[in-house]
Amino acid sequence: MKKQISVRRFATGLFGKPLLCILFGFGLFTGPLLSAQNRIPVRGFFANFSASYDHAFSGDYAAVYLTPYEMDMFTKSDRLIVHQGLLIQIPVSLKIFDVYMVLGATVYPFRDILSVSAKAGISVSNIILDHFTYTGNLRVGADIPVFKSYSRHFLSLGAGLRHRNGIRLFNYMHISGDYLKPTNTFFFDLAYRIRM
């Protein structure tokens, strides 16, 4: 009986986490991406570049998040934008960083200026199966035209909440426990957006 329990625990620990993580990642990105491409009537696109500073609610954990590439699909509703891009995390207190594939959506309740967005991402490093890392955030922002009232260039100021977590898989890289623990932060960010 003891052997059966230990084998079951071993199988769950060895194969359960990677399988769940892979299924989660596949569902997170494949479903919304296919839905966005086939069903959402696209009106235009935004190129988005941003940087944010995060600080934990408790403790000294801080991180910088950079978005070197994000393509936003502007829908015909004039109130909804669908995001797809890359997010780079650079922890201030740790010597390791992550690159995330991110999907999200932004809603403009009053058609312009004020926006509310939600994004979720999984780390590109998940493919090495050492650990599984994911992040999600909720942001409120204000888009300000840069050159004139109806400019195609916008400066976006925002603030929000972010959740990030790392789950050990095989842990052959022996990454620090602080890097893998759940972290809740508040952040302030600055984005430059170009409407194409």
Side-chain angles (χ1 to χ4, degrees), residues 67-166:
T67 304
Y69 152 78
E70 186 174 64
M71 186 62 67
D72 304 343
M73 293 188 295
F74 203 70
T75 66
K76 287 187 177 179
S77 69
D78 211 30
R79 292 178 186 237
L80 176 66
I81 293 178
V82 179
H83 309 274
Q84 183 261 331
L86 291 176
L87 177 70
I88 298 176
Q89 177 204 23
I90 306 172
V92 176
S93 57
L94 300 171
K95 297 179 180 179
I96 191 169
F97 69 93
D98 255 328
V99 178
Y100 296 89
M101 298 179 294
V102 176
L103 278 180
T106 294
V107 176
Y108 286 84
F110 310 108
R111 292 193 178 176
D112 55 5
I113 301 180
L114 181 66
S115 64
V116 179
S117 61
K119 297 181 184 178
I122 60 172
S123 173
V124 176
S125 65
N126 294 334
I127 60 175
I128 64 176
L129 296 181
D130 176 75
H131 61 282
F132 178 82
T133 312
Y134 66 90
T135 184
N137 70 65
L138 184 64
R139 174 188 183 272
V140 177
D143 291 356
I144 305 166
V146 176
F147 301 113
K148 56 184 179 179
S149 297
Y150 297 98
S151 174
R152 296 170 59 138
H153 301 263
F154 298 86
L155 197 62
S156 182
L157 305 174
L161 305 174
R162 191 187 316 270
H163 173 74
R164 182 199 164 280
N165 193 11

Side-chain angles (χ1 to χ4, degrees), residues 15-53:
F15 298 109
K17 287 182 182 178
L19 182 60
L20 288 175
C21 293
I22 290 168
L23 290 174
F24 171 75
F26 182 82
L28 179 64
F29 289 100
T30 306
L33 192 58
L34 291 175
S35 176
Q37 289 178 347
N38 295 330
R39 297 180 185 176
I40 296 177
V42 177
R43 179 180 172 185
F45 295 92
F46 268 120
N48 188 22
F49 313 94
S50 67
S52 71
Y53 176 76

